Every structure is written in structure tokens, then in C-alpha cells.
Amino acid sequence: MQLKEIRFNESNIQLKDNLVKGSILPERVSELTRTITVQGNTIIEGPVFAHKMEIQNGSLEIQGAVFTQLELYINSEAKGDITFKKSVGSANSIVSRAAQVKPLFYSDINAKSVTLYNAFVAGSIYADEVILENSVICGGVFATQQIDLKNCIVGTFNAPAVRVEGQLSLLLPSAFSIEKMQTTADTRLYNLSLADLGALYKGLEQAPNSGKIAMDTETDEVKSSLTDQDIQKTLRSYTVIGKVLAADLLDTDKFQNHFLLTAASLGSQLLKTYDLGPDKDGTPALLTVEKIRDFFFDILSGKIQIQDIDGRFSIADITGKF
């Protein structure tokens, strides 16, 4: 269906089958309170400011930054592709519980409260409270109050309180909380910093002695006390850093993990599409945000299996290197 170009200045805006060539920004005080409703099949080429933005259906692509004063809300019954090419922020909340949409955020999210189901965020999330379910965050999840995670892959996290349900995989060696992490009986915590993500992305065999490390919230917790003249705080880190350092035993550079995550986080800022070299069929394994998203969701769903590595090492292994 061909998109229709639209021009507007009314208080509330409804978009369906529209191409917005430019921005949706207030020009008068009265436009600061307008609501934008997207009913589907819309492209907005510039930045957006709204008091409230409701996305009733995809497809939607917003190529500029987005900020709402009250709320950015994706309807729970929404379908289709929903893509934000630049950073997204709200003075209050960003919410998507849609089961049939995988919202794609190319950059960071910043809001007072963030709730995302089935989302892929190439950047990081900054908020007071964060709730994530069945989502992938390539960067970090940083909250001033609490983080709730259920069946997620995240780079790292840092918050006073963290609750984890189901499986959680970390892409970086360490994550942090102030209070002890709360877990359920079915919680499984893994670290993927020594997984051969590059080989998996290309459909090749994983390197020997690479894989995911099963973490234990008791034995892999390191408690530190931070003190200054006025205050003392306890910081808990959940880390495999000792195991990663010991894995100087491994040539981790060939895993290409860092390059893979950097390509995702830079997203549309890259002037060309890079690749990780030939895949199993001999064709270049192109690094696009969409392909990286599909790759991590295949890991999350279990379609792609990462082999186990026990993460144990001996002092003799290390001293033998010198």
C-alpha cells in the first residue's frame, strides 16, 4: 500500500497509511498537550514530541528521536513491525506488553518507568523502575529503584533491587545490585562472555573451551563496602571475572563477541554494513540490527544452543602460562 503524505497542526494527530516527511514537534503552547495515535502502516522521518503517544498497530518506523511527556504505549493487541531508529524517552512511562510484536529500539531508552515484553534494545535502558520479559538488551539495564527480569538476555544490570524469574543470561562478565538478588525456584543464571557468539552467528562450530557459564547467586556474589565521610554502602556484584581472566587460557578475540555487540549498538550510525566473515554457506555474515535481533531471540528461545563451559580453573593452569 502506498503511503500518503500528511500535514497537520491540530491538537491531536491520528496516523494510518501515512508518510510524515519531517518532524512532529510543537510550534505553539497548545500543541504541547497533543496526543499522537498511530493506527498502522506509518513512517515518520523526523523526531517526535507528544504529550502521549499510543501505537495501536504496526507497521511503524520512526527515524528520529522520540519523547513523550506522559506515556509511550504500544497496544497489547498490536501486530506488525515497530521500529525506533533513534533514542526514545519519556518523562513518565514507556510500556509495551504486546505478545505479537517485537519492538526494535536501535538506541537507548530513558524514562521514569519502562515495561517491555518481547523487545530488542540495541542500546541501554535508564529508568527508576524496569520490567522486562522475554527481551534482549545489548547494553545495560540501569535503574535507581528496581529491575524485574523474566527470561531475558542483558549486557549487564545495576540497581538497588533486582528480581529474576526464569532464565537470565549476561553478555558481560559482571552485574550489580545493592540488595541481594531475589530469585525464584526456576531461576537459571548464565554468563555468555566466554560463549563463541561469532561462530554461532555464522552457523559454524563453537570453539573448544568456549560456552556459557552457569552462575550461582551465592558463590558468584562478591560483596563490597563503599565508604566515604558521610555514608557507607554495600555493593553486590555477580561476576565471573576471575574465570574470564583465567581464560587467558582462551583466545577470546576470535569469538568476535565485542564486534557483534558494537555493530548492534551503533546501528544506523554506521555508514556501511559490516560482516563477520563467511558463514557456513560461504556468504558474508552481514551485521544488521535486524539479523542480530533474530540471532539473540533464537538463543533466548533455545533454537540456537550454546554449549556449556564449567568455568573452573586451577592455579597451575594460570601459572603455566608464564
Side-chain angles (χ1 to χ4, degrees):
M1 180 181 295
Q2 187 171 357
L3 299 179
K4 299 171 291 186
E5 188 174 340
I6 185 172
R7 302 178 188 277
F8 39 72
N9 54 21
E10 63 264 26
S11 57
N12 293 326
I13 300 169
Q14 286 194 346
L15 299 172
K16 184 178 182 181
D17 302 328
N18 291 126
L19 170 63
V20 180
K21 297 184 72 67
S23 61
I24 305 179
L25 299 175
E27 297 180 355
R28 296 186 292 272
V29 172
S30 60
E31 295 175 355
L32 289 170
T33 58
R34 66 185 171 190
T35 295
I36 299 174
T37 303
V38 179
Q39 297 177 333
N41 197 31
T42 294
I43 296 175
I44 302 173
E45 294 184 345
V48 175
F49 178 96
H51 179 68
K52 178 181 178 181
M53 185 171 192
E54 180 181 356
I55 301 169
Q56 296 180 348
N57 225 341
S59 61
L60 169 67
E61 180 180 297
I62 303 180
Q63 298 173 1
V66 177
F67 185 84
T68 66
Q69 195 66 36
L70 179 63
E71 182 181 46
L72 170 63
Y73 175 73
I74 298 176
N75 192 291
S76 298
E77 304 301 319
K79 299 179 182 179
D81 296 328
I82 297 175
T83 303
F84 301 90
K85 289 289 188 77
K86 298 288 176 63
S87 58
V88 176
S90 176
N92 193 11
S93 65
I94 295 172
V95 178
S96 174
R97 295 188 178 91
Q100 300 183 69
V101 171
K102 290 181 178 176
L104 176 54
F105 297 84
Y106 273 58
S107 190
D108 295 339
I109 297 174
N110 196 317
K112 189 175 180 63
S113 171
V114 175
T115 300
L116 296 175
Y117 290 14
N118 311 305
F120 180 87
V121 181
S124 296
I125 297 176
Y126 304 89
D128 290 342
E129 296 180 340
V130 180
I131 299 173
L132 298 173
E133 182 173 322
N134 195 43
S135 294
V136 178
I137 317 299
C138 288
V141 183
F142 305 101
T144 60
Q145 295 179 16
Q146 182 164 304
I147 299 173
D148 285 81
L149 301 167
K150 181 178 180 180
N151 296 326
C152 290
I153 297 174
V154 303
T156 184
F157 60 75
N158 191 341
V162 178
R163 294 191 299 202
V164 179
E165 183 179 347
Q167 182 169 312
L168 173 65
S169 297
L170 299 174
L171 297 171
L172 299 177
S174 303
F176 307 90
S177 69
I178 293 176
E179 299 174 10
K180 191 172 186 62
M181 186 195 303
Q182 298 180 36
T183 58
T184 59
D186 68 337
T187 298
R188 302 177 309 283
L189 185 61
Y190 296 101
N191 193 286
L192 306 185
S193 57
L194 291 181
D196 192 356
L197 298 180
L200 289 165
Y201 188 82
K202 293 182 285 188
L204 304 176
E205 289 293 323
Q206 301 169 64
N209 297 321
S210 70
K212 64 179 186 286
I213 302 172
M215 297 181 67
D216 187 298
T217 55
E218 299 292 337
T219 59
D220 289 316
E221 177 191 290
V222 177
K223 190 187 299 185
S224 305
S225 293
L226 307 177
T227 307
D228 63 15
Q229 293 179 343
D230 304 314
I231 194 169
Q232 177 175 331
K233 279 190 175 182
T234 298
L235 180 67
R236 303 171 193 270
S237 61
Y238 306 92
T239 182
V240 294
I241 192 66
K243 299 163 187 175
V244 172
L245 290 174
D248 186 34
L249 325 167
L250 303 177
D251 181 10
T252 53
D253 287 342
K254 67 183 180 184
F255 291 172
Q256 299 177 302
N257 294 4
H258 181 70
F259 191 51
L260 181 69
L261 296 175
T262 301
S265 63
L266 290 176
S268 57
Q269 299 177 57
L270 295 175
L271 297 178
K272 72 172 194 175
T273 300
Y274 290 88
D275 65 77
L276 284 183
D279 62 15
K280 63 178 180 179
D281 300 318
T283 57
L286 298 177
L287 288 168
T288 66
V289 175
E290 290 79 9
K291 286 180 177 292
I292 295 171
R293 172 198 60 187
D294 294 342
F295 168 68
F296 277 113
F297 272 110
D298 283 346
I299 292 176
L300 193 60
S301 67
K303 183 177 179 181
I304 292 178
Q305 290 289 330
I306 301 176
Q307 65 192 16
D308 293 310
I309 182 174
D310 63 19
R312 290 178 293 181
F313 61 91
S314 69
I315 297 300
D317 291 331
I318 301 173
T319 55
K321 299 282 289 185
F322 300 97

